[in-house]
Amino acid sequence: MVKLEDVARKAGISKTTVSRVLNNDKTITVTDETREKILAAVEELGYKPLRKKRTKPKQYHVAMIHNNEAFKSTVDRAFYFSIRNGLEHMALKKNVTIVSLPLDHLTTISTTNTTFDGAIILGNLSKDEHDFIREYIHSQHVVVIGLANPYADQYDHISFNTRQAVYKVLNYLRELDHEQIGCLGAEESSDLLNTDSRKWHFTNYMKALDLYHEDWVIFGDKGIEAGQEIAKKLLELEEIPTALFVANDPTAIGVVQALQDAGLKVPEDMSVIGFNGDYTTEYIYPPLSTLKVNTNEMGQEAIITVLERIKGYRKLAKKVEIATHIIERKSCAPMKK
């Protein structure tokens, strides 16, 4: 069988040059004479290059584990949908199959003998919920997207810096000359560390400046309707703030609606800023200013991170913090003098 070396010897040209010419390497420059010598030797010897076998890239299977309510409402749960969009976008590029697994469905794994190369846990789940997941997902290649990671020495972690994010919001309001600032939101998980609590950082910031009003900090259930109820409680007070930091966007939408129902104008009578950067905030009236948590990018980074562990590029757990930024819209205005 004629080999590449035989062609090179016949043409009197190096094997590397012959190989690059025959493979149509665009980066090599050779004379027409050299190219003709190579082609003549190929024809004379009857050289036929071996066809390289095309190997399909390995397909990885990764479980996306979340609470049972995560994808039931595109408005109240826009945070989750944005992360999922990022996950699926990067998974398609990296030959990863994502299998959505609500907590209630984990028990089906043992009955179907399903195995996964890795897992991505989505949202702020409790320690008990994490332990429940560990009963059914035995892979060591686990990434948590969210604030609560009870197994930080074992699981990779994709998150953002809560302190920096809250301080960006409050600095923004103070740049608009607001000092009477309230904080409303959905009650946070008891498993959340203080360093990841929006309410905790708000309280520390305002107390440090002697601007803290306990009556103006009201937390309750999640969602738009809960935001309406929380705002009504605030409006029952004799004195109300000039600006509100609402610690999640669905709640902020409900707050704005309740303020308007009570005859207050946003932002003329009260400025309101949300937190998360949900796409829904652009379409209310007035369009809501918000702290953007780059959830799509968090989802993409989670795929890259879990593949590092699956492919053995890294053994130690790591934490990645994705940057945040303020989106200025029409719901905040400078304090009236």
Side-chain angles (χ1 to χ4, degrees):
M1 184 176 69
V2 181
K3 298 180 180 179
L4 188 66
E5 292 89 337
D6 300 323
V7 176
R9 193 180 303 112
K10 181 71 177 177
I13 297 168
S14 73
K15 177 182 172 182
T16 301
T17 300
V18 171
S19 175
R20 293 176 67 183
V21 169
L22 294 181
N23 284 297
N24 296 315
D25 187 342
K26 304 296 184 184
T27 64
I28 187 173
T29 303
V30 295
T31 64
D32 291 340
E33 182 182 359
T34 298
R35 193 178 298 276
E36 287 172 5
K37 283 183 179 181
I38 293 170
L39 296 177
V42 167
E43 187 175 352
E44 184 177 340
L45 296 173
Y47 172 69
K48 294 181 180 179
L50 293 173
R51 289 186 178 180
K52 293 182 179 179
K53 291 183 179 179
R54 291 186 178 181
T55 57
K56 290 184 178 180
K58 180 174 172 57
Q59 191 78 25
Y60 299 98
H61 292 80
V62 173
M64 179 183 69
I65 304 167
H66 50 84
N67 66 44
N68 303 311
E69 304 296 319
F71 298 106
K72 288 192 174 179
S73 166
T74 54
V75 176
D76 285 342
R77 303 286 188 245
F79 179 87
Y80 290 100
F81 279 95
S82 179
I83 292 177
R84 183 172 185 165
N85 185 60
L87 283 170
E88 293 177 345
H89 176 77
M90 186 57 68
L92 189 62
K93 288 185 176 182
K94 299 294 185 180
N95 296 301
V96 174
T97 299
I98 299 291
V99 179
S100 178
L101 276 177
L103 286 175
D104 280 354
H105 292 190
L106 280 176
T107 54
T108 62
I109 293 176
S110 57
T111 59
T112 58
N113 295 319
T114 305
T115 60
F116 296 98
D117 298 297
I120 295 172
I121 299 175
L122 180 56
N124 299 325
L125 304 184
S126 68
K127 173 67 163 51
D128 288 343
E129 287 171 325
H130 274 273
D131 289 339
F132 176 66
I133 291 169
R134 287 164 72 91
E135 290 181 27
Y136 297 96
I137 299 292
H138 303 296
S139 173
Q140 296 301 307
H141 315 312
V142 178
V143 181
V144 175
I145 305 179
L147 297 173
N149 181 11
Y151 294 100
D153 290 338
Q154 301 173 42
Y155 293 170
D156 292 322
H157 192 184
I158 311 295
S159 188
F160 60 92
N161 189 303
T162 307
R163 179 182 180 276
Q164 288 181 1
V166 171
Y167 281 28
K168 282 178 186 178
V169 170
L170 296 177
N171 288 337
Y172 170 70
L173 291 175
R174 295 196 66 227
E175 285 170 4
L176 296 175
D177 293 325
H178 291 283
E179 293 196 340
Q180 295 178 306
I181 304 170
C183 181
L184 311 181
E187 201 62 59
E188 296 168 319
S189 167
S190 59
D191 291 274
L192 210 60
L193 298 174
N194 282 340
T195 51
D196 292 319
S197 164
R198 299 169 196 185
K199 180 165 65 173
W200 190 78
H201 285 299
F202 171 87
T203 300
N204 284 350
Y205 181 104
M206 298 299 284
K207 281 185 175 180
L209 296 173
D210 199 24
L211 298 174
Y212 180 72
H213 288 258
E214 185 176 359
D215 290 346
W216 294 348
V217 179
I218 307 173
F219 277 59
D221 292 332
K222 297 179 180 178
I224 294 174
E225 291 184 5
Q228 294 171 337
E229 293 304 314
I230 293 170
K232 289 176 184 177
K233 292 180 181 179
L234 178 75
L235 294 175
E236 290 172 358
L237 301 174
E238 290 186 10
E239 185 181 9
I240 59 175
T242 62
L244 290 174
F245 162 45
V246 187
N248 57 78
D249 284 337
T251 305
I253 292 172
V255 167
V256 170
Q257 291 174 347
L259 294 177
Q260 292 170 335
D261 289 344
L264 295 176
K265 293 181 179 180
V266 176
E268 292 86 349
D269 298 322
M270 189 179 294
S271 290
V272 180
I273 185 168
F275 195 108
N276 278 352
D278 293 354
Y279 73 92
T280 53
T281 56
E282 187 176 354
Y283 301 106
I284 69 165
Y285 183 81
L288 185 70
S289 298
T290 182
L291 186 285
K292 174 65 175 174
V293 177
N294 291 294
T295 43
N296 188 283
E297 288 76 7
M298 289 168 71
Q300 294 188 44
E301 183 63 32
I303 294 293
I304 294 170
T305 300
V306 77
L307 284 177
E308 288 176 356
R309 297 292 287 273
I310 291 171
K311 294 180 178 181
Y313 298 158
R314 174 175 50 80
K315 291 184 178 180
L316 292 177
K318 73 176 184 180
K319 181 177 182 178
V320 179
E321 287 189 347
I322 304 295
T324 62
H325 61 276
I326 297 283
I327 297 178
E328 268 190 286
R329 295 201 182 105
K330 302 292 185 180
S331 65
C332 291
M335 173 66 183
K336 293 177 182 179
K337 298 297 184 180

